[in-house]
């Protein structure tokens, strides 16, 4: 018999697997590809989850450090306010007959304190009726009445000399948010 370009047909029939084996091989390849893809997606999912956990942990740590720093800063500001409160009480004791609203020395004391704190602490004086005065800028004209504010009510109900840290409040005078630190001062 003569052999053509493509060889002997019988030999070709021998090398081609039966139909059932073809299907099994295709299923095996498909299963292998599915397993590889599942492994790839599983690895990607694990990497994404662990990366997110790491980022969350780093952010949480940074926020915790920042929270501690802000807490210490606020403590220091409150301590400055307490020092100023004691200074004003002593001034009032030594100058019992002097009206602090009209006294140049008292105005200089407040200006100096404001300057030394970089304007961080604004000094306001409120009368028992709630009239609020800004010293030394406008000592004769009430800027507002704060009798309805929580910090004023707490100061008036508290013992003289006891500091009260109020909730943050938006000033009706400046429009800025402030953390009120108040105390009630009385002349003896």
């Amino acid at each position: 018999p003569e052999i053509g370009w493509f060889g002997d047909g019988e030999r070709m029939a021998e090398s081609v697997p039966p139909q059932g084996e073809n299907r099994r091989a295709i299923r095996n390849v498909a299963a292998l590809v599915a397993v590889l893809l599942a492994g790839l997606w599983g690895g990607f999912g694990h990497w994404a989850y662990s990366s997110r956990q790491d980022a969350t942990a780093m952010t949480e740590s940074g926020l915790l450090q920042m929270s501690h720093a802000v807490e210490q800063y606020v403590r220091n500001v409150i301590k400055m306010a307490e020092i100023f409160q004691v200074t004003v009480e002593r001034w009032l004791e030594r100058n019992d007959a002097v009206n602090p609203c009209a006294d140049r020395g008292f105005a200089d004391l407040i200006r100096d304190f404001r300057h030394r704190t970089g304007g961080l602490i604004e000094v306001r004086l409120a009368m028992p009726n709630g009239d609020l005065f800004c010293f030394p800028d406008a000592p004769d004209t009430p800027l507002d009445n704060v009798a309805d504010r929580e910090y004023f009510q707490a100061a008036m109900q508290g013992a003289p000399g006891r500091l009260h840290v109020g909730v943050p409040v938006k000033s009706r005078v400046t429009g800025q948010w402030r953390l009120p630190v108040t105390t009630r001062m009385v002349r003896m």
Side-chain angles (χ1 to χ4, degrees), residues 6 11 43 51 55-56 59 66 82 91 98 118 121 123 136 139 156 158-159 177 185:
F6 299 105
R11 282 194 341 183
S51 293
T56 301
T59 301
M66 194 178 303
E82 189 176 18
W91 187 93
V98 178
I121 297 177
V123 178
M156 294 306 289
W177 284 93
M185 294 181 190

Side-chain angles (χ1 to χ4, degrees), residues 5-144:
W5 269 115
F6 299 105
D8 187 344
E10 288 178 25
R11 282 194 341 183
M12 282 181 66
E14 289 174 13
S15 65
V16 174
Q19 190 71 11
E21 286 183 34
N22 272 345
R23 288 189 179 144
R24 197 170 331 153
I26 290 173
R27 272 187 265 150
N28 288 343
V29 169
L32 180 64
V33 168
V35 167
L36 288 175
L37 283 175
L40 183 65
W41 279 107
F44 177 75
H46 175 71
W47 172 81
Y49 178 76
S50 63
S51 293
R52 179 167 168 76
Q53 292 298 97
D54 291 346
T56 301
M58 285 177 49
T59 301
E60 185 177 314
S61 174
L63 288 174
L64 188 60
Q65 289 174 350
M66 194 178 303
S67 175
H68 289 305
V70 168
E71 179 182 358
Q72 187 60 44
Y73 182 77
V74 169
R75 285 178 194 265
N76 291 341
V77 169
I78 291 172
K79 184 55 84 179
M80 281 192 296
E82 189 176 18
I83 290 168
F84 185 70
Q85 172 223 343
V86 169
T87 304
V88 168
E89 284 177 349
R90 297 245 167 88
W91 187 93
L92 289 171
E93 287 172 8
R94 280 188 236 127
N95 299 287
D96 189 37
V98 178
N99 177 2
C101 295
D103 186 73
R104 182 180 174 106
F106 187 72
D108 289 343
L109 177 69
I110 291 177
R111 269 192 208 95
D112 186 47
F113 182 73
R114 185 187 296 167
H115 174 72
R116 289 179 189 274
T117 62
L120 181 66
I121 297 177
E122 280 293 324
V123 178
R124 304 274 194 252
L125 295 179
M127 298 299 131
N129 68 355
D131 284 345
L132 181 74
F133 294 88
C134 177
F135 287 99
D137 303 330
D140 299 326
T141 308
L143 301 174
D144 191 12

